[in-house]
Amino acid sequence: MVTKNKVQLFFLLFLIITSTVGCSEKSKSQKLFGVDADYFVGLQKLAEGKEKEARTKLNRCIKKGSFYCAKKSAQLLCTFGNVQEKNEAAVNLISKYKDDESLLIAAKQFESSDEISKLIECTSNIDFKTAKNELIYLRLNAMRKRGDSNYQNEVYDWFTSCPISKEHYQFYKDIYEHPDFAKIQIDEKQSESDSEKPSYTPRQFVLNFRIEVFKRNYIYAYNNTKKILQYFDDGNLPANTQLCSDIGKAYLYGSTDFAKNASYFSKLAEQYKRTDKEFYFWFYAGRLFSKASDSYSKVAKCFEAAIQSAQSTEQKDNAIWYLLKSAQDFSLNTLLDSIQTHSKQWNDPEYFEDLFESLVPTLLSSGQGNSFGSIYKIIDGYASDETVARFAYLYARLSQEGYADAKEQEIKEAFRRACRSGSAIYYRQLAAYQLGLKDTELYNVLSAPVKNTSVQFSKQLKEPLAQSDTKAKDFEKLIKGYAYFGFPEKIYETFVSNKNEQLPLDSYFYLADFLSKCSNKSECTEKFYTQALRISAEGQRKASENMSKAQMRLLFPENYKEYVEKYCQQFNVNDKIMYALIRSESFFDPSVKSSAGAIGLTQLMEVTGSDISKRFKMQNYSLTDPETNIKFGTYYLSTLVSRCDNSYLLGFLSYNAGITRVRKWQKSSLVEFGKRSEMPLDLFLETVPFAETREYGRKLISATVMYDWLDNPENFESTVSALLK
């Protein structure tokens, strides 16, 4: 039995040895992986074009290998050889493995070889509520081709058992759309004469209705909801929860007669009392009454009824969220009372983070400093640690600045509570700074795990079913085997597709370290930088105890060091700040493009890149080129910081939202706080009206602090002070 240290040493050998595995290495691999080595050798043989040798190795692993390597071997056999061999491999695969991934591989093979009956047979027991839509699509298309008598029933089941997806929409457009729907009149008052009865069936009409809601064609949907409800009343179709939800959306967004519609939904809720449909009608009645700006008592009554009739914890949390939002819109005292009551009822505290996040600038702008103390004490043990930390920290800081009434001991207690946060490193850092923590105390705060430690959350959170030790070790062997045998490109895709599988904590950081180093090799690509960071971030989320500095360095990597140091020196920018910006903007992915059109490592807009290129007289450039992007981004940030009186935080906010907006926000926040100058920047950040920009500022501050602390722990206090000046 080899020791753990020897195993780790053997894995690290791959980083040095890139030549073909020789006899000595083969012996080591057999000791480490046993029969599972046949899977990885089979992959190598297949890459070399030696299909016969690959098949022999894979078949051996299927018979004698561990769970994951055996399954991967069986799946791989479906991808090469002649049609007969691939079909046979697909049959063998699903005879042993019934998971969606294996079924999808087999189904695709049967479709490509026109084995319609086999495709239908192998997917006969899938659950439309949980199965992959791609797999269901293949099944239904096969049933259509064969003229299966149950085809129409299964199409209807798929379209009404789960939310509409892009696969539903594609199936509908390509295969199922009824020609008469283009002729349907949307005037709900128009009746159909006997001579003009439609040729579509109630089920076909329902499918079209769901598609139109998916397309957000709410006016059409609203004008046809009565027809759906009539189908229910007449017994033509059973009432369905997905349809009830769509009907609610149609009334909410397709009509402005909110009060009338809310009353109608209250009656529907009574009609469907004690059924799984009742929740939806109470829920949308509450939202409609809220839209009508009706009395809070009516709104609350509906949401309370929705909470009581909820069929799942998700539904319950959704109803509580809207109840709290309605209370917030009504009055602060109403909100505090509602939080006091319902914080003990919700299931997932993280679901409510955005509501509390949006509450912060509202309280600040209205001068409700003491409310931060009331709220943080009410929600402690029920809300997420990030939310508790935010309210505790702000209560303490507002008291220091004279905007709340906490005494010195209360202020210290609030800062200490913020330090215990399990998810908000930003507030932990700032609270530690305010408390003057150093050395071991500071290390314990900054290296703490990010798991939520809320009392209620820890009791109610449903953890995934624990794997057996054997299965966990099998998965670890599979994913580390890809590193050892030279298949780094398979690590992240395997990690993502098996996201519910558990790994020992050290393995997350081993894989991250491996991929990060692999990115520096000419035969590998830069995409591994991003993959390494994502895997290490998942390791941080899984940690149950403080991380080492080596592990934290993988969370805050200094990739593209040559370019960062070069241009930070040229434009007088702290290199830790640029690492933080790149990490926050792109996760070190040089090819990423945001939905808004921002490009590359520092996420520059094309128009910004064009302006900067003229400054450097560069006619030909690419924002996806790492060096160019870092040069442009560093220069751009340096100009913003300079224009913001050398304030890094204001420069960060300007980078995200524009300097004109930031200056406007500064002026308005000074008015709200009754100050003429020197608004504390940590408090100013919380008044920024855009949640995205607030979070952006927090991310860059916290990442910069971590980068600098890892190299210069003695400078922690001066670093935080400089960033917030």
Side-chain angles (χ1 to χ4, degrees), residues 414-537:
F415 281 139
R416 290 193 189 100
R417 179 61 187 91
C419 281
R420 295 206 312 272
S421 168
S423 56
I425 185 66
Y426 170 79
Y427 293 107
R428 278 191 273 162
Q429 291 171 339
L430 267 59
Y433 166 74
Q434 292 292 341
L435 290 169
L437 301 186
K438 301 180 185 298
D439 303 325
T440 302
E441 278 189 307
L442 180 61
Y443 172 82
N444 288 336
V445 169
L446 299 186
S447 64
V450 298
K451 279 188 175 180
N452 197 304
T453 57
S454 157
V455 174
Q456 187 222 34
F457 190 60
S458 63
K459 288 180 179 178
Q460 293 193 7
L461 180 63
K462 294 181 179 179
E463 296 288 351
L465 292 176
Q467 300 180 91
S468 67
D469 289 342
T470 300
K471 195 174 180 184
K473 290 177 181 177
D474 288 350
F475 182 65
E476 182 185 16
K477 192 182 291 186
L478 169 70
I479 202 163
K480 282 189 171 181
Y482 287 133
Y484 185 86
F485 286 91
F487 296 97
E489 71 282 357
K490 290 187 174 292
I491 291 174
Y492 189 69
E493 67 178 44
T494 302
F495 179 79
V496 171
S497 62
N498 295 273
K499 58 184 177 182
N500 291 328
E501 308 294 6
Q502 300 294 320
L503 285 170
L505 185 61
D506 287 350
S507 293
Y508 291 100
F509 294 103
Y510 161 73
L511 293 169
D513 185 45
F514 172 82
L515 287 173
S516 181
K517 291 174 179 175
C518 193
S519 286
N520 293 318
K521 289 176 170 286
S522 59
E523 67 270 20
C524 297
T525 66
E526 293 167 328
K527 68 181 179 182
F528 296 131
Y529 279 143
T530 304
Q531 294 177 2
L533 186 49
R534 294 194 186 282
I535 290 175
S536 61

Side-chain angles (χ1 to χ4, degrees), residues 556 580 583-584 698-708:
F556 298 94
R583 182 187 190 276
S584 301
R698 295 183 197 118
K699 282 183 177 179
L700 262 68
I701 291 290
S702 61
T704 301
V705 170
M706 292 304 296
Y707 271 109
D708 196 68

Side-chain angles (χ1 to χ4, degrees), residues 109-123:
Q109 173 53 34
F110 292 144
E111 182 194 43
S112 67
S113 60
D114 206 28
E115 290 283 356
I116 301 301
S117 295
K118 289 182 178 179
L119 195 164
I120 295 172
E121 181 183 357
C122 80
T123 56

Side-chain angles (χ1 to χ4, degrees), residues 577-586 602 637 655 696 700:
I577 285 174
M578 280 312 297
Y579 287 128
L581 185 142
I582 294 170
R583 182 187 190 276
S584 301
E585 287 282 7
S586 65
T602 64
L637 178 63
Y655 196 98
Y696 183 84
L700 262 68

